[in-house]
Amino acid sequence: MMRSRANKYINIFTYILSIFSSIVGIGLNFFLAKVLEADAYGRVQYLLSLSTLISCICVFGLNSFLIREVKNSEQKGNVFNKCFTLYLAIYLFVLPIIYFLLYNFVAITNLNRILSIFVTITGFLMGVNSLITAYFQGGGKYHLSVIFETLIPKMFLLVCAIVFMVIGNLKGFQENYLVFYIIIYSLIAIPIVVKTLKGLNLRFTRNELISIFFFFGVTVTYNLGNELTKVLQGSIFNNTVALATISVSTSILNLILVFTNVLNNLTKPIYSKFKREKNTTDLIQTYRFNTRINSYIAIPFYLFFIIFSNNFLQLFGESYTKYPMILTIMALASAVSAITGPNGSMLAMTGNEKYELFNGFIYFGTYIAMAFAFSFEPVYGLTIALLISQIVVNIFKYIECWKLFKMAPLDKKTIFTLLIIIITNCGLILPLMLIKNYFLWFGVGFVVGAALIVLNCFIFSLYRKNDFKHLLGLRL
């Protein structure tokens, strides 16, 4: 009884912490987008995307492997040692290649030795931080992941940005943006690695290496689509305003991920647990529950962003309202993923990462094909490619889950619940188009959005009596 009550408090605390961390992160992006404006903000985001790409490549899927294996008794407490050692070996191997490409071929860092070095160091520290947060998450301490991955870094950067604005040197902050990333990630990563790492260890089994390779393929193919959208927009189409709008739109959509990622990350080790216990029924029920809870929150948000994209971009300044359809298209793409559920996570955490690797190639292949097909559209082409990629890959993932687990991932009652929520929410949001005053619209929209989340959970849902209670009692 005491354990159950404590678990409820931890879950509630994790949600509150995630919301607060996201507010800080969104506040940082809002502040930077506002004071730097589209062109300069686009340049900062371009450099950050390069570091993120390096991190994705070097982490090699080890973060997903960590989440799955931390609680596995067969690892005998060595899983972090093994993963960190392999990550370090991979990074040292690819470092000369990465630096050569940055220095000689990549826009902005071309022939800039210092900037090329900063990008590579930032990428390395991002990867270390990713391993640390995956270790906490897999161990059932997701609240620590939130603190070290989002709250502390974003809070530090926000404070630095405000200080530089006060002293009248925002240009200095912009030019040293990656330096501040390096400082805060070093302060987080070094003490935790020193405390957690018990020694270098590369004793992986053959099956573990195969599994990691699959996770790597999944990580690279999925993440390349999102990050390449920014990199290609800045490099090939040379449109920093569109790139900045994509970055701002990503920040806006991340507001939804604050809520949905908490539950997605809490359930990842639970999927692994049910797989080890061969409990397919509870595995699928957890997936359905996960999809419903996330939809109660995500659907009204996405509808607002799709219908009122220009209004939300206006929050960041007039320079971001040139291409409002970017946010609309990106919101549609994210909505497809939300309402079909975390099928990819369930596949990866149940030993079916080879399917996720296949899905990653489907996603990336579709993205590249569509990016080429819509290359005549330099502003919206890449985001349209993202939307089509999401639709195609989620169809594949849904079918695979149905085949592997011998039952429909979403039952009729859950699907009917989602349809009710979409229809009712749309009907209540559309009338807000009649409000012409921006501040009145924002105030009314905030009240309507909050009310819809409550109504979705306790009135419109056909599972209204059970889902909230299940959420509070969820534990590994």
Side-chain angles (χ1 to χ4, degrees):
M1 180 70 180
M2 290 294 294
R3 182 186 176 99
S4 176
R5 183 177 298 176
N7 195 71
K8 290 181 181 180
Y9 292 143
I10 290 174
N11 288 345
I12 293 171
F13 172 71
T14 302
Y15 264 94
I16 294 172
L17 185 65
S18 297
I19 293 169
F20 178 69
S21 299
S22 178
I23 290 172
V24 173
I26 291 169
L28 171 65
N29 286 317
F30 176 83
F31 181 80
L32 292 178
K34 195 81 172 175
V35 298
L36 296 179
E37 296 193 346
D39 189 60
Y41 182 67
R43 185 180 185 277
V44 166
Q45 289 299 311
Y46 181 82
L47 291 172
L48 210 54
S49 293
L50 289 174
S51 296
T52 304
L53 278 174
I54 293 170
S55 172
C56 288
I57 293 169
C58 294
V59 165
F60 211 78
L62 290 165
N63 52 341
S64 297
F65 180 78
L66 260 173
I67 293 170
R68 195 184 72 184
E69 294 296 320
V70 167
K71 284 282 189 176
N72 189 344
S73 59
E74 294 180 6
Q75 293 291 345
K76 298 178 180 178
N78 281 318
V79 66
F80 184 82
N81 303 332
K82 292 158 65 174
C83 289
F84 182 84
T85 306
L86 182 55
Y87 171 70
L88 188 61
I90 292 169
Y91 180 81
L92 292 175
F93 177 77
V94 302
L95 176 60
I97 302 170
I98 291 171
Y99 177 79
F100 177 79
L101 293 173
L102 287 171
Y103 186 74
N104 291 284
F105 299 105
V106 178
I108 298 181
T109 60
N110 182 247
L111 301 180
N112 190 325
R113 192 179 305 277
I114 297 298
L115 200 54
S116 297
I117 291 172
F118 284 166
V119 169
T120 55
I121 294 174
T122 304
F124 171 74
L125 291 170
M126 281 181 171
V128 175
N129 200 47
S130 178
L131 294 181
I132 290 169
T133 54
Y135 177 74
F136 288 132
Q137 182 181 334
K141 299 177 181 178
Y142 180 61
H143 56 287
L144 294 180
S145 297
V146 174
I147 291 171
F148 293 120
E149 186 173 30
T150 307
L151 180 59
I152 295 176
K154 300 300 182 184
M155 180 71 78
F156 176 79
L157 288 165
L158 179 59
V159 170
C160 288
I162 293 172
V163 169
F164 271 77
M165 184 192 71
V166 171
I167 65 177
N169 189 20
L170 276 172
K171 185 174 177 60
F173 178 79
Q174 176 193 333
E175 292 174 348
N176 294 284
Y177 191 62
L178 292 183
V179 175
F180 295 113
Y181 257 95
I182 291 170
I183 291 171
I184 189 58
Y185 276 143
S186 297
L187 291 174
I188 292 171
I190 293 173
I192 295 177
V193 169
V194 168
K195 181 180 178 180
T196 309
L197 188 68
K198 305 304 179 185
L200 299 180
N201 186 340
L202 277 174
R203 294 178 187 144
F204 289 95
T205 66
R206 179 175 176 273
N207 287 337
E208 286 175 341
L209 290 174
I210 292 172
S211 184
I212 289 168
F213 175 76
F214 284 137
F215 278 131
F216 168 68
V218 172
T219 301
V220 169
T221 48
Y222 277 113
N223 283 281
L224 276 179
N226 294 324
E227 296 304 325
L228 272 179
T229 300
K230 298 178 187 178
V231 174
L232 292 176
Q233 193 71 61
S235 299
I236 296 178
F237 297 114
N238 197 28
N239 190 333
T240 53
V241 174
L243 188 155
T245 306
I246 291 171
S247 298
V248 163
S249 298
T250 301
S251 297
I252 292 171
L253 295 174
N254 281 344
L255 179 63
I256 306 173
L257 297 181
V258 177
F259 302 96
T260 59
N261 274 354
V262 174
L263 187 57
N264 289 345
N265 288 317
L266 285 172
T267 53
K268 278 182 181 180
I270 294 175
Y271 293 139
S272 298
K273 174 190 173 186
F274 286 141
K275 172 62 177 178
R276 288 193 293 268
E277 296 172 353
K278 298 180 180 179
N279 188 347
T280 303
T281 301
D282 284 346
L283 177 72
I284 294 297
Q285 290 299 339
T286 300
Y287 169 79
R288 292 170 178 173
F289 157 77
N290 193 341
T291 304
R292 291 193 303 271
I293 289 290
N294 283 346
S295 295
Y296 299 155
I297 301 168
I299 288 175
F301 269 110
Y302 284 128
L303 287 173
F304 265 107
F305 296 151
I306 290 167
I307 298 169
F308 299 106
S309 57
N310 188 77
N311 291 27
F312 284 100
L313 289 171
Q314 194 174 331
L315 284 169
F316 294 84
E318 289 297 327
S319 60
Y320 295 91
T321 59
K322 188 176 181 180
Y323 309 120
M325 279 297 294
I326 286 178
L327 176 56
T328 298
I329 297 168
M330 291 180 69
L332 281 168
S334 297
V336 169
S337 181
I339 63 177
T340 51
N343 36 35
S345 295
M346 184 168 67
L347 287 170
M349 292 296 111
T350 54
N352 294 296
E353 55 271 13
K354 61 183 179 181
Y355 283 92
E356 264 294 79
L357 176 60
F358 170 75
N359 295 331
F361 282 119
I362 290 293
Y363 173 80
F364 187 59
T366 304
Y367 174 78
I368 293 297
M370 291 300 102
F372 178 78
F374 288 93
S375 59
F376 63 88
E377 177 48 73
V379 175
Y380 301 110
L382 294 175
T383 49
I384 292 172
L386 277 177
L387 172 59
I388 297 173
S389 306
Q390 283 288 0
I391 294 172
V392 171
V393 77
N394 276 286
I395 290 173
F396 271 89
K397 288 193 288 188
Y398 193 86
I399 294 171
E400 288 161 4
C401 288
W402 198 331
K403 176 185 174 184
L404 285 168
F405 301 112
K406 312 298 183 188
M407 65 178 73
L410 298 178
D411 59 319
K412 293 179 182 178
K413 191 175 178 182
T414 296
I415 293 173
F416 194 45
T417 294
L418 298 181
L419 288 174
I420 291 172
I421 290 173
I422 292 171
I423 293 169
T424 55
N425 284 205
C426 195
L428 292 169
I429 291 172
L430 280 173
L432 298 184
M433 296 178 71
L434 299 174
I435 302 176
K436 302 303 179 183
N437 181 279
Y438 181 80
F439 295 102
L440 179 61
W441 168 85
F442 192 84
V444 174
F446 180 84
V447 173
V448 170
L452 286 175
I453 292 172
V454 176
L455 290 172
N456 291 341
C457 187
F458 297 106
I459 303 296
F460 298 145
S461 173
L462 301 180
Y463 289 87
R464 53 186 170 271
K465 293 182 179 179
N466 300 318
D467 277 351
F468 188 69
K469 186 185 297 184
H470 188 186
L471 175 64
L472 292 179
L474 190 69
R475 64 185 176 90
L476 180 60

PDB file of all heavy atoms in Angstrom, residues 411-422:
ATOM      1  N   ASP A 411      -7.685  -1.765 -29.993  1.00  0.00           N
ATOM      2  CA  ASP A 411      -8.992  -2.401 -30.092  1.00  0.00           C
ATOM      3  C   ASP A 411     -10.038  -1.402 -30.573  1.00  0.00           C
ATOM      4  O   ASP A 411      -9.792  -0.194 -30.622  1.00  0.00           O
ATOM      5  CB  ASP A 411      -9.379  -2.992 -28.735  1.00  0.00           C
ATOM      6  CG  ASP A 411      -9.423  -1.937 -27.641  1.00  0.00           C
ATOM      7  OD1 ASP A 411      -8.529  -1.072 -27.620  1.00  0.00           O
ATOM      8  OD2 ASP A 411     -10.359  -1.971 -26.818  1.00  0.00           O
ATOM      9  N   LYS A 412     -11.212  -1.909 -30.927  1.00  0.00           N
ATOM     10  CA  LYS A 412     -12.274  -1.061 -31.476  1.00  0.00           C
ATOM     11  C   LYS A 412     -12.699   0.026 -30.499  1.00  0.00           C
ATOM     12  O   LYS A 412     -12.974   1.166 -30.895  1.00  0.00           O
ATOM     13  CB  LYS A 412     -13.479  -1.922 -31.852  1.00  0.00           C
ATOM     14  CG  LYS A 412     -13.227  -2.869 -33.020  1.00  0.00           C
ATOM     15  CD  LYS A 412     -14.461  -3.712 -33.321  1.00  0.00           C
ATOM     16  CE  LYS A 412     -14.183  -4.688 -34.459  1.00  0.00           C
ATOM     17  NZ  LYS A 412     -15.359  -5.547 -34.746  1.00  0.00           N
ATOM     18  N   LYS A 413     -12.728  -0.308 -29.218  1.00  0.00           N
ATOM     19  CA  LYS A 413     -13.161   0.669 -28.209  1.00  0.00           C
ATOM     20  C   LYS A 413     -12.174   1.836 -28.120  1.00  0.00           C
ATOM     21  O   LYS A 413     -12.579   2.997 -27.989  1.00  0.00           O
ATOM     22  CB  LYS A 413     -13.288  -0.032 -26.857  1.00  0.00           C
ATOM     23  CG  LYS A 413     -13.978   0.801 -25.781  1.00  0.00           C
ATOM     24  CD  LYS A 413     -14.165  -0.027 -24.512  1.00  0.00           C
ATOM     25  CE  LYS A 413     -14.799   0.793 -23.391  1.00  0.00           C
ATOM     26  NZ  LYS A 413     -14.939   0.005 -22.146  1.00  0.00           N
ATOM     27  N   THR A 414     -10.877   1.531 -28.215  1.00  0.00           N
ATOM     28  CA  THR A 414      -9.858   2.591 -28.189  1.00  0.00           C
ATOM     29  C   THR A 414      -9.947   3.452 -29.443  1.00  0.00           C
ATOM     30  O   THR A 414      -9.875   4.689 -29.365  1.00  0.00           O
ATOM     31  CB  THR A 414      -8.451   1.974 -28.076  1.00  0.00           C
ATOM     32  OG1 THR A 414      -8.335   1.293 -26.816  1.00  0.00           O
ATOM     33  CG2 THR A 414      -7.381   3.052 -28.171  1.00  0.00           C
ATOM     34  N   ILE A 415     -10.109   2.814 -30.609  1.00  0.00           N
ATOM     35  CA  ILE A 415     -10.215   3.559 -31.866  1.00  0.00           C
ATOM     36  C   ILE A 415     -11.446   4.465 -31.848  1.00  0.00           C
ATOM     37  O   ILE A 415     -11.383   5.631 -32.267  1.00  0.00           O
ATOM     38  CB  ILE A 415     -10.276   2.592 -33.065  1.00  0.00           C
ATOM     39  CG1 ILE A 415      -8.933   1.853 -33.217  1.00  0.00           C
ATOM     40  CG2 ILE A 415     -10.605   3.343 -34.350  1.00  0.00           C
ATOM     41  CD1 ILE A 415      -8.943   0.758 -34.266  1.00  0.00           C
ATOM     42  N   PHE A 416     -12.551   3.927 -31.336  1.00  0.00           N
ATOM     43  CA  PHE A 416     -13.778   4.722 -31.263  1.00  0.00           C
ATOM     44  C   PHE A 416     -13.584   5.906 -30.309  1.00  0.00           C
ATOM     45  O   PHE A 416     -14.067   7.014 -30.574  1.00  0.00           O
ATOM     46  CB  PHE A 416     -14.934   3.834 -30.795  1.00  0.00           C
ATOM     47  CG  PHE A 416     -16.292   4.457 -31.017  1.00  0.00           C
ATOM     48  CD1 PHE A 416     -16.616   5.072 -32.221  1.00  0.00           C
ATOM     49  CD2 PHE A 416     -17.245   4.440 -30.015  1.00  0.00           C
ATOM     50  CE1 PHE A 416     -17.855   5.647 -32.426  1.00  0.00           C
ATOM     51  CE2 PHE A 416     -18.494   5.019 -30.194  1.00  0.00           C
ATOM     52  CZ  PHE A 416     -18.800   5.615 -31.409  1.00  0.00           C
ATOM     53  N   THR A 417     -12.851   5.685 -29.216  1.00  0.00           N
ATOM     54  CA  THR A 417     -12.543   6.771 -28.270  1.00  0.00           C
ATOM     55  C   THR A 417     -11.756   7.884 -28.960  1.00  0.00           C
ATOM     56  O   THR A 417     -12.056   9.076 -28.799  1.00  0.00           O
ATOM     57  CB  THR A 417     -11.737   6.232 -27.069  1.00  0.00           C
ATOM     58  OG1 THR A 417     -12.555   5.342 -26.317  1.00  0.00           O
ATOM     59  CG2 THR A 417     -11.275   7.368 -26.164  1.00  0.00           C
ATOM     60  N   LEU A 418     -10.754   7.506 -29.745  1.00  0.00           N
ATOM     61  CA  LEU A 418      -9.934   8.489 -30.453  1.00  0.00           C
ATOM     62  C   LEU A 418     -10.770   9.279 -31.459  1.00  0.00           C
ATOM     63  O   LEU A 418     -10.609  10.498 -31.591  1.00  0.00           O
ATOM     64  CB  LEU A 418      -8.769   7.798 -31.165  1.00  0.00           C
ATOM     65  CG  LEU A 418      -7.763   7.053 -30.281  1.00  0.00           C
ATOM     66  CD1 LEU A 418      -6.647   6.443 -31.128  1.00  0.00           C
ATOM     67  CD2 LEU A 418      -7.173   7.970 -29.224  1.00  0.00           C
ATOM     68  N   LEU A 419     -11.677   8.604 -32.160  1.00  0.00           N
ATOM     69  CA  LEU A 419     -12.536   9.289 -33.134  1.00  0.00           C
ATOM     70  C   LEU A 419     -13.465  10.279 -32.436  1.00  0.00           C
ATOM     71  O   LEU A 419     -13.674  11.402 -32.919  1.00  0.00           O
ATOM     72  CB  LEU A 419     -13.354   8.264 -33.922  1.00  0.00           C
ATOM     73  CG  LEU A 419     -12.579   7.419 -34.940  1.00  0.00           C
ATOM     74  CD1 LEU A 419     -13.484   6.340 -35.537  1.00  0.00           C
ATOM     75  CD2 LEU A 419     -11.999   8.291 -36.049  1.00  0.00           C
ATOM     76  N   ILE A 420     -14.035   9.877 -31.300  1.00  0.00           N
ATOM     77  CA  ILE A 420     -14.913  10.773 -30.536  1.00  0.00           C
ATOM     78  C   ILE A 420     -14.150  12.028 -30.126  1.00  0.00           C
ATOM     79  O   ILE A 420     -14.645  13.157 -30.254  1.00  0.00           O
ATOM     80  CB  ILE A 420     -15.473  10.054 -29.282  1.00  0.00           C
ATOM     81  CG1 ILE A 420     -16.466   8.967 -29.701  1.00  0.00           C
ATOM     82  CG2 ILE A 420     -16.149  11.062 -28.351  1.00  0.00           C
ATOM     83  CD1 ILE A 420     -16.926   8.091 -28.539  1.00  0.00           C
ATOM     84  N   ILE A 421     -12.924  11.836 -29.638  1.00  0.00           N
ATOM     85  CA  ILE A 421     -12.118  12.968 -29.177  1.00  0.00           C
ATOM     86  C   ILE A 421     -11.777  13.899 -30.331  1.00  0.00           C
ATOM     87  O   ILE A 421     -11.882  15.133 -30.209  1.00  0.00           O
ATOM     88  CB  ILE A 421     -10.832  12.452 -28.497  1.00  0.00           C
ATOM     89  CG1 ILE A 421     -11.203  11.783 -27.163  1.00  0.00           C
ATOM     90  CG2 ILE A 421      -9.845  13.595 -28.252  1.00  0.00           C
ATOM     91  CD1 ILE A 421     -10.035  11.086 -26.491  1.00  0.00           C
ATOM     92  N   ILE A 422     -11.377  13.347 -31.470  1.00  0.00           N
ATOM     93  CA  ILE A 422     -11.029  14.183 -32.632  1.00  0.00           C
ATOM     94  C   ILE A 422     -12.223  15.013 -33.086  1.00  0.00           C
ATOM     95  O   ILE A 422     -12.119  16.227 -33.309  1.00  0.00           O
ATOM     96  CB  ILE A 422     -10.505  13.308 -33.790  1.00  0.00           C
ATOM     97  CG1 ILE A 422      -9.143  12.699 -33.426  1.00  0.00           C
ATOM     98  CG2 ILE A 422     -10.377  14.136 -35.077  1.00  0.00           C
ATOM     99  CD1 ILE A 422      -8.655  11.659 -34.426  1.00  0.00           C
TER     100      ILE A 422
END
